[in-house]
């Protein structure tokens, strides 16, 4: 495994076409696009890493996987009255379907869906209480109490968050929100601004590899059925309107973020985190996707076979 990821890392370091760093969040536009990291965590506790795998980056939409897991724990199937579970086929920040579908987002991973999930888990609590709960959960699944929020990124998102504010107010206009829109948005921006390394993220994904249990720590996080369902949502919706392309090229459940990270799950085999800040035209990590494609070719880990 170390040889495989060293090879992948060497290939990615040399790539000249690295995509574009997200520029609609000014703080993310400052990140050096020359970086690349990968970590592969196995259920037996072994972790293989290469490149900038210890560097912290903004996990952005990967955090939506964690808030969905928390929401399912708190609300169970009632989550599905707040968001759907179908791919949207539209960009991550699109508003068009919301009008046709009475303010109910297609899935929990597009921005509108993740904002609705925050409203569902707040349950009348203050933003800082909900954020503490989200951070506690992420620290628990990653088995690392040092994980925190990058306040500069959160502020940058807040200052340029007109699109997300529009989505939130539009949903609220259908009477769908139980908490003040500004509290929901502030909480959403902050959970997107959690910083993690590939090493920490790969650890955090382990519960989805082994039927809801992080076998490296022995902690049961969710039931086997719930882990399976979360994986299927990641496969269908985790890369927005690029989900079909990702399934075709990589064939693993995965969740991307505009910080350039991707967390991918090879059920029964490994949790894989990759990071390279340059994005493709859809907003998914360009080299991260290429790296996962190479990894799957070398390991045969695609859920669709060799
Ligand atoms: O709300 C936003 O636009 C960002 N906080 C998250 C978007 C994102 O990561 C989309 N991912 N590829």
């Amino acid at each position: 495994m170390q040889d495989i990821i060293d090879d992948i890392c060497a290939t990615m370091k040399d790539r000249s076409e690295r995509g574009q760093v997200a520029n609609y969040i000014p703080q993310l536009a400052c990140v050096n696009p020359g970086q690349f990291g990968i970590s592969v965590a196995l259920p037996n506790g072994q972790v293989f890493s290469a490149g900038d795998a210890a560097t912290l980056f903004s996990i952005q939409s990967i955090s939506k996987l964690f808030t969905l897991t928390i929401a399912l724990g708190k609300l169970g199937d009632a989550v599905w009255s707040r968001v759907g579970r179908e791919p949207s086929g539209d960009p991550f920040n699109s508003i068009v379907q919301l009008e046709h579908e009475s303010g109910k987002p297609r899935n929990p991973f597009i921005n509108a869906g993740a904002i609705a999930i925050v409203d569902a888990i707040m349950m009348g609590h203050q933003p800082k209480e909900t954020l503490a709960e989200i951070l506690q959960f992420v620290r628990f699944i990653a088995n690392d109490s040092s994980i925190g929020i990058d306040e500069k990124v959160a502020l940058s998102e807040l200052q340029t968050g007109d699109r997300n504010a529009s989505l939130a107010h539009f949903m609220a206009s259908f009477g769908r929100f139980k908490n003040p829109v500004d509290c929901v948005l502030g909480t959403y921006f902050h959970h997107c601004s959690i910083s993690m390394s590939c090493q920490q993220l790969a650890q955090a994904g382990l519960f989805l590899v082994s039927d809801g249990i992080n076998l490296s720590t022995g902690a049961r996080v969710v039931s086997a059925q719930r882990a399976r369902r979360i994986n299927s949502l990641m496969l269908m919706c985790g890369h927005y309107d690029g989900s079909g392309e990702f399934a075709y090229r990589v064939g693993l459940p995965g969740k991307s973020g505009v910080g350039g990270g991707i967390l991918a799950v090879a059920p029964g085999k490994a949790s894989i985190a990759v990071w390279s800040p340059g994005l493709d035209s859809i907003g998914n990590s360009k080299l991260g996707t290429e790296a996962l494609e190479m990894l799957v070719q070398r390991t045969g880990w695609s859920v669709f076979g060799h």
Side-chain angles (χ1 to χ4, degrees), residues 118-161:
V118 170
D119 183 60
I121 60 182
M122 283 188 83
M123 295 176 158
H125 289 278
Q126 293 301 311
K128 66 175 184 208
E129 294 166 335
T130 304
L131 281 168
E133 186 181 358
I134 296 168
L135 263 184
Q136 186 185 24
F137 178 73
V138 175
R139 289 170 176 168
F140 164 64
I141 57 173
N143 194 27
D144 189 332
S145 60
S146 71
I147 294 166
I149 290 170
D150 184 332
E151 290 291 341
K152 278 194 193 152
V153 174
L155 185 65
S156 190
E157 285 208 48
L158 184 73
Q159 286 167 342
T160 55

Side-chain angles (χ1 to χ4, degrees), residues 94-105 112 167 170-171 173-174:
S94 175
I95 199 166
V96 292
Q97 277 165 352
L98 279 179
E99 177 155 26
H100 294 298
E101 297 174 6
S102 315
K104 182 177 176 179
L167 294 170
F170 197 57
M171 287 187 283
S173 77
F174 288 92

Side-chain angles (χ1 to χ4, degrees), residues 24-25 60-61 64 92 111 157 164 188 192 240 256-259 283-284:
Y24 74 102
I25 302 172
Q60 291 295 318
S61 289
K64 297 171 181 174
F92 63 86
N111 286 8
E157 285 208 48
N164 285 320
Y188 169 77
C192 287
Y240 314 105
S256 69
V258 284
N284 299 316

Side-chain angles (χ1 to χ4, degrees), residues 87-268:
S88 70
D90 277 323
F92 63 86
N93 57 1
S94 175
I95 199 166
V96 292
Q97 277 165 352
L98 279 179
E99 177 155 26
H100 294 298
E101 297 174 6
S102 315
K104 182 177 176 179
R106 274 284 172 100
N107 68 65
F109 294 148
I110 50 174
N111 286 8
I115 293 168
I117 289 288
V118 170
D119 183 60
I121 60 182
M122 283 188 83
M123 295 176 158
H125 289 278
Q126 293 301 311
K128 66 175 184 208
E129 294 166 335
T130 304
L131 281 168
E133 186 181 358
I134 296 168
L135 263 184
Q136 186 185 24
F137 178 73
V138 175
R139 289 170 176 168
F140 164 64
I141 57 173
N143 194 27
D144 189 332
S145 60
S146 71
I147 294 166
I149 290 170
D150 184 332
E151 290 291 341
K152 278 194 193 152
V153 174
L155 185 65
S156 190
E157 285 208 48
L158 184 73
Q159 286 167 342
T160 55
D162 289 331
R163 175 70 72 108
N164 285 320
S166 306
L167 294 170
H169 284 287
F170 197 57
M171 287 187 283
S173 77
F174 288 92
R176 292 191 156 269
F177 275 25
K178 297 189 167 71
N179 302 274
V181 171
D182 287 345
C183 293
V184 174
L185 277 172
T187 308
Y188 169 77
F189 292 136
H190 279 79
H191 81 60
C192 287
S193 303
I194 294 174
S195 292
M196 289 172 81
S197 66
C198 287
Q199 287 166 345
Q200 291 168 330
L201 252 190
Q203 289 280 355
L206 272 175
F207 75 98
L208 293 170
V209 175
S210 308
D211 298 328
I213 305 175
N214 179 335
L215 286 181
S216 83
T217 60
R220 164 152 316 271
V221 180
V222 294
S223 68
Q225 181 191 57
R226 186 158 290 162
R228 171 167 58 80
R229 289 173 166 173
I230 294 171
N231 282 335
S232 81
L233 282 158
M234 285 205 288
L235 184 80
M236 299 307 295
C237 316
H239 284 72
Y240 314 105
D241 44 341
S243 298
E245 180 73 7
F246 188 81
Y248 180 84
R249 287 171 56 189
V250 178
L252 294 176
K255 184 73 211 79
S256 69
V258 284
I262 302 176
L263 176 59
V265 175

